Amino acid sequence: MRVRKLTFVALAVAAGLSLTACNDDDVTGQGDTSSAASESSSGGSAPDASGKDGGTNGGKDSAGKGGASSGGQSADNKANTCRTDRLDITAQDATIDGDTEGTVAVTFKNGGSDCALNGFAGVDLKTSAGALSAERSGGASDPMTLKAGESVSFGVTYPVNDSGGSGVKVSSLVVTPPGETKSVSLQWPGGSLPVTDGSGTSVKVGPMGSAGQGGAS
C-alpha cells in the first residue's frame, strides 16, 4: 500500500508539472502575438498599392501634378486688335471728276495704344430700297500695326447714278472694323445709286490703305 501511494503521488506531481508547462507555453504564445500586433500597429504607415509607404503626396495636387502653373507665351505679347471704341471712324466723298464710279473714303484713326488691323472692314449701306452689303474687292492688305494717333483709309466704290432720276438714296453707312462685332453708323457722304434689277450688289469695299495715304495722319 505504501508503494502504491508513493507511485500515485509521483504521477500526480508529474501531471501537475506537465499542466504547468502547457499553461506557460500558452501564455508565452499569447504574449508573442500581442507583441507582434503592437509592432504592426506602431510600425509607421501601411504600404499603398504600389508597394511604397503611404504618407504625404510630395507637395503634388490631387491630380498628381506639381503646384507650379503651366508655362506658355502670353498672347499679350502681340498688338491687340483695333477695337471700335478706340477708333475715330469718319467717311468723306473721295470721288474724282470724270470717274465712272463714285468713291467714299473711310478712315480709321487710332485713339488708343498700338493695335493690329488685318483683313477687310465690314460695310453695309442703308438705302431707300433696303439694306445693301458691300462686296470685297481685290486682295487683302498685309496685316498692319496702327500706332497711336495714326490713320489708315480704305475705299468704298459704287456706281454713279447718271439716269437723271433720284435713283436709290443712301441714308447711312454702317462700318465694322476687321475682327470686331461692334459697328458704327455714319452719314453717307456720296451720291445716290442707280436703280438696278436686284441681280447683285455693285458696291465694293477695298482693303486697308486703298484710299488716301493709308498711313500716319
Side-chain angles (χ1 to χ4, degrees):
M1 292 295 290
R2 182 177 181 82
V3 173
R4 290 181 180 178
K5 288 182 178 180
L6 291 175
T7 302
F8 179 80
V9 172
L11 290 173
V13 171
L17 291 175
S18 177
L19 290 173
T20 302
C22 291
N23 291 336
D24 289 343
D25 290 342
D26 292 342
V27 172
T28 302
Q30 293 176 359
D32 292 342
T33 302
S34 300
S35 176
S38 176
E39 289 178 0
S40 175
S41 62
S42 62
S45 55
D48 58 18
S50 63
K52 298 181 181 180
D53 287 344
T56 60
N57 60 4
K60 296 181 180 181
D61 57 24
S62 59
K65 299 180 181 179
S69 60
S70 59
Q73 185 176 1
S74 172
D76 293 337
N77 292 334
K78 299 180 180 180
N80 294 324
T81 299
C82 293
R83 300 300 179 188
T84 304
D85 292 338
R86 295 297 183 91
L87 294 173
D88 181 18
I89 304 176
T90 56
Q92 61 181 2
D93 187 8
T95 304
I96 299 176
D97 291 341
D99 282 354
T100 57
E101 289 184 318
T103 301
V104 169
V106 178
T107 301
F108 291 161
K109 183 174 183 179
N110 184 12
S113 57
D114 295 1
C115 61
L117 283 174
N118 184 17
F120 287 83
V123 172
D124 297 282
L125 304 183
K126 291 184 178 180
T127 76
S128 57
L132 181 65
S133 296
E135 292 182 350
R136 297 175 179 180
S137 176
S141 59
D142 293 332
M144 65 180 68
T145 298
L146 194 62
K147 295 185 178 299
E150 285 189 343
S151 299
V152 65
S153 301
F154 61 91
V156 178
T157 59
Y158 61 96
V160 176
N161 176 29
D162 55 5
S163 64
S166 60
V168 176
K169 294 183 179 180
V170 181
S171 58
S172 61
L173 168 67
V174 181
V175 179
T176 308
E180 263 282 44
T181 57
K182 185 176 182 179
S183 305
V184 295
S185 183
L186 308 171
Q187 184 176 354
W188 174 251
S192 61
L193 308 178
V195 177
T196 65
D197 58 4
S199 59
T201 181
S202 54
V203 179
K204 309 290 184 182
V205 55
M208 294 294 161
S210 61
Q213 296 300 313
S217 57

